[in-house]
Amino acid sequence: MAPDRKRLARLQRLEKVRAIAKQTAAAEAARAEGTLAQLLALADRTGQLVHDYASRRDMADGQALRLMSSFREGLEGVRRDTRADADRARGVADAKLLQLSEAERRRQAVEDRARAEARALSSQGQQPPLTARKALGTELE
């Protein structure tokens, strides 16, 4: 096999590897976004519980009022911690989306180089290696 044909075959293999890396990055980004959504929903629900308990006025005595206040403060702590977790999850999700865009750029660069190499081979009158180029992923990616 001529060196140019070997180079094209290597570029096509590298393109497949980069496509798999992009799919992996997309799956990780989706998981991170899912975790973020769950944490935000949990923080909202906990906040609603804090509000509901704060508006209750059916305490019979001071002891019940103290217990309700203590319970509400505990819920407020849970909400605060959940919001902090959501903020960290947002940072992770943003980083995963950045990794996904970088993976797509790397895959696209290799694809462009492989196409340019194939065009150069065909302009020299050589037949590019016929490989089954199965598209990876879906059109939505």
Side-chain angles (χ1 to χ4, degrees), residues 46-122:
T46 307
Q48 184 61 44
L49 286 172
V50 168
H51 175 69
D52 290 347
Y53 279 104
S55 64
R56 289 184 60 183
R57 303 286 181 235
D58 59 347
M59 274 42 88
D61 57 15
Q63 176 68 16
L65 179 61
R66 188 180 65 76
L67 287 174
M68 183 60 64
S69 178
S70 176
F71 180 70
R72 187 181 51 76
E73 289 172 7
L75 279 176
E76 183 62 43
V78 170
R79 179 174 71 163
R80 192 173 39 254
D81 292 346
T82 304
R83 283 187 177 167
D85 289 344
D87 289 342
R88 283 189 295 276
R90 183 175 285 112
V92 170
D94 290 346
K96 295 294 183 183
L97 288 174
L98 181 62
Q99 289 174 357
L100 175 59
S101 66
E102 290 171 356
E104 171 56 20
R105 281 195 299 273
R106 286 191 299 270
R107 188 206 59 78
Q108 187 64 45
V110 170
E111 180 183 0
D112 292 345
R113 287 180 14 220
R115 284 184 183 166
E117 188 71 24
R119 278 194 303 273
L121 278 176
S122 65

Side-chain angles (χ1 to χ4, degrees), residues 1-70:
M1 190 183 285
D4 291 338
R5 292 173 60 93
K6 286 182 181 179
R7 177 176 162 77
L8 177 59
R10 184 182 61 78
L11 285 171
Q12 288 173 338
R13 284 191 308 271
L14 183 58
E15 181 183 354
K16 289 177 187 177
V17 168
R18 296 282 167 90
I20 292 168
K22 178 190 166 206
Q23 286 179 337
T24 302
E28 289 175 2
R31 280 192 298 275
E33 288 290 330
T35 299
L36 173 60
Q38 287 176 341
L39 286 169
L40 289 173
L42 183 59
D44 289 343
R45 178 65 183 131
T46 307
Q48 184 61 44
L49 286 172
V50 168
H51 175 69
D52 290 347
Y53 279 104
S55 64
R56 289 184 60 183
R57 303 286 181 235
D58 59 347
M59 274 42 88
D61 57 15
Q63 176 68 16
L65 179 61
R66 188 180 65 76
L67 287 174
M68 183 60 64
S69 178
S70 176

